[in-house]
Amino acid sequence: MRNFVIAGLAGTLAGIIATTQVAGPLVAQEAESNASVYEQLDLFGDIFERIRAQYVEDVEAGDLIEAAIDGMLTSLDPHSSYLSPEDAAAMRVQTRGEFGGLGIEVTQEEGFVKVVSPIDGTPADEAGIEAGDFITHVDGESLLGLTLDKAVELMRGPVGSEIIVTVVREGEAEPFDVSIIRDTIKLTAVRSRTEGESVILRVTTFNDQTYPNLEEGLEEQIEEAGGMDAINGIVLDLRNNPGGLLTQAIKVADAFLDEGEIVSTRGRDPQDGERFNAEKGDLADGKPIVVLINGGSASASEIVAGALQDHRRAIVVGTKSFGKGSVQTVMPLRGDGAMRLTTARYYTPSGRSIQALGVSPDIVVEQPRRRPAGEEEEEASTRPSRSEADLRGRLNNDSLSEDQIRQIEEDRAKADATAALREEDYQLAYAIDILKGLSAFGPKD
């Protein structure tokens, strides 16, 4: 025992000696680093005073400082930025679900504004703006070289006013202009409906109302269908959902999980990492779930899709998501402004980061582009459909009762409705077909 104690003491002493030997250079290095920082701050002060004294026009000192702060933050990554008091107030309104604007979530890429996704039912959506579009000009003014906040500021304006945005779109040979009328954006976080025996939950954003809307909408659809046994599953539609509040993403994923990790976050300091786990209770009572995603599904929507995919609780269908795997913390500043700073990356339950990679669907299903009116092939739609039932003198089917025939006709009507939906929304129709298949081959009571 004594040998062990001595060895420990010797190790401790050796550590003290080693520390003493390197402490000098470390202190000197830190002092040199601090001196360099102070020199740079002095340089900033010199430039600031030169601008105030010698710039061709008078400039507000506050505007200069705000621009410097914003430049410092935006140089870090596309999602860190300074929020003026007005922008901070607008952001707080937006998380409550109502704000003014065009209705698009944007980021910055190669100096231009890139559309993450248009929001359902907004002026941008109705004008035909698509996820992945680049906006290069606003009312003829180039956005190249502007910060994202400045570009967004150009797109703001009075409700009812017109804005012309120039769009570059993959697959289009030339840029083109789109006219949009600004409006007040009122977000309905979750829209619910039933198609056949499948409940569709369309989640457009993650704000304070998302989970309450989802829970209420699902309960209403189940009740209208006649109970949980009357539905074959749920389609959770996260397409073109730009994200939002992390807390709401966790609640939505937890709504369909009984246990296990939902998401973890890791910052620069390992001690700052957090893990969020599901609690007992599944709103879908174990019914199959299909999650729809596309290139406009970002951030919080990717957390939900990744969690349900990793736990094999849902089949993810569509195309690769946007790939925003970072967490931003909004920190209040003096003067009612705020700082939006990227503080962590988030990881799905399996430990994968989707930053710049996105969530890959289990089944890749592209959404066909709608052909312009007049280009549809009319031959198939105009050719008369004929079957045995149309033949004169046919034999009657005497093996089925009237109730059985009625059931067949109802099933056929549901199939026809899905076929019609396929023309309108191919990806959604595909998801519903998956639920039908799972229901048909699932366990029978």
Side-chain angles (χ1 to χ4, degrees), residues 397-412:
N397 190 321
D398 60 358
S399 65
L400 299 175
S401 67
E402 290 184 4
D403 287 341
Q404 289 173 321
I405 293 173
R406 188 181 303 110
Q407 184 62 49
I408 289 173
E409 290 175 346
E410 289 177 359
D411 291 343
R412 183 179 298 148

Side-chain angles (χ1 to χ4, degrees), residues 181-420:
I181 304 299
R182 297 179 178 97
D183 199 359
T184 299
I185 309 302
K186 295 182 179 180
L187 295 182
T188 301
V190 182
R191 296 187 179 96
S192 59
R193 73 180 196 274
T194 300
E195 292 280 351
E197 297 176 354
S198 304
V199 174
I200 315 300
L201 298 174
R202 172 76 178 112
V203 184
T204 60
T205 188
F206 287 88
N207 61 28
D208 289 336
Q209 302 304 313
T210 300
Y211 178 76
N213 286 173
L214 181 138
E215 184 180 30
E216 181 181 356
L218 180 57
E219 288 178 355
E220 287 178 357
Q221 296 304 314
I222 291 172
E223 184 178 349
E224 290 178 8
M228 187 67 77
D229 292 338
I231 70 169
N232 62 15
I234 295 170
V235 176
L236 188 62
D237 188 353
L238 300 177
R239 292 173 298 174
N240 292 333
N241 183 321
L245 299 177
L246 175 64
T247 53
Q248 290 292 311
I250 292 168
K251 287 184 177 181
V252 169
D254 192 5
F256 304 110
L257 293 172
D258 272 327
E259 60 182 0
E261 183 177 300
I262 294 172
V263 66
S264 62
T265 63
R266 306 176 203 170
R268 189 198 313 188
D269 187 342
Q271 294 182 348
D272 293 336
E274 291 186 273
R275 294 183 183 273
F276 302 90
N277 297 311
E279 298 179 356
K280 192 74 174 175
D282 179 358
L283 293 183
D285 199 23
K287 290 283 184 177
I289 298 174
V290 174
V291 175
L292 281 176
I293 61 172
N294 64 6
S297 306
S299 193
S301 55
E302 293 174 292
I303 290 175
V304 175
L308 297 181
Q309 184 182 53
D310 281 2
H311 283 287
R312 299 185 180 276
R313 181 63 186 90
I315 298 172
V316 179
V317 173
T319 55
K320 185 174 72 69
S321 63
F322 186 76
K324 180 181 177 293
S326 59
V327 179
Q328 282 70 46
T329 302
V330 178
M331 307 173 186
L333 300 174
R334 66 183 68 181
D336 296 327
M339 174 174 63
R340 183 168 51 208
L341 185 67
T342 299
T343 53
R345 289 182 173 88
Y346 67 74
Y347 297 80
T348 68
S350 64
R352 57 181 168 142
S353 168
I354 63 166
Q355 174 60 28
L357 295 177
V359 174
S360 297
D362 300 307
I363 304 174
V364 175
V365 179
E366 297 281 351
Q367 184 82 303
R369 284 188 180 273
R370 293 185 179 182
R371 287 177 291 186
E375 290 187 8
E376 291 86 352
E377 297 180 7
E378 297 181 359
E379 183 180 352
S381 61
T382 58
R383 184 188 301 126
S385 175
R386 294 180 61 83
S387 70
E388 175 74 13
D390 298 317
L391 300 180
R392 183 178 299 174
R394 71 191 184 283
L395 294 176
N396 291 325
N397 190 321
D398 60 358
S399 65
L400 299 175
S401 67
E402 290 184 4
D403 287 341
Q404 289 173 321
I405 293 173
R406 188 181 303 110
Q407 184 62 49
I408 289 173
E409 290 175 346
E410 289 177 359
D411 291 343
R412 183 179 298 148
K414 291 177 181 177
D416 289 343
T418 302

Side-chain angles (χ1 to χ4, degrees), residues 81-156:
S81 64
Y82 170 73
L83 300 174
S84 67
E86 295 79 12
D87 291 339
M91 186 203 65
R92 287 191 289 270
V93 171
Q94 181 171 342
T95 59
R96 293 196 295 270
E98 182 176 325
F99 57 98
L102 305 180
I104 51 175
E105 179 78 10
V106 294
T107 186
Q108 197 163 39
E109 189 173 303
E110 298 177 3
F112 291 108
V113 173
K114 183 177 182 180
V115 177
V116 176
S117 68
I119 300 169
D120 284 359
T122 61
D125 180 43
E126 293 171 358
I129 299 296
E130 298 180 2
D133 284 349
F134 282 92
I135 298 177
T136 62
H137 294 72
V138 170
D139 291 330
E141 183 175 345
S142 175
L143 302 184
L144 184 63
L146 296 182
T147 65
L148 185 60
D149 285 342
K150 289 295 183 185
V152 169
E153 189 175 325
L154 282 179
M155 288 186 275
R156 291 178 181 151

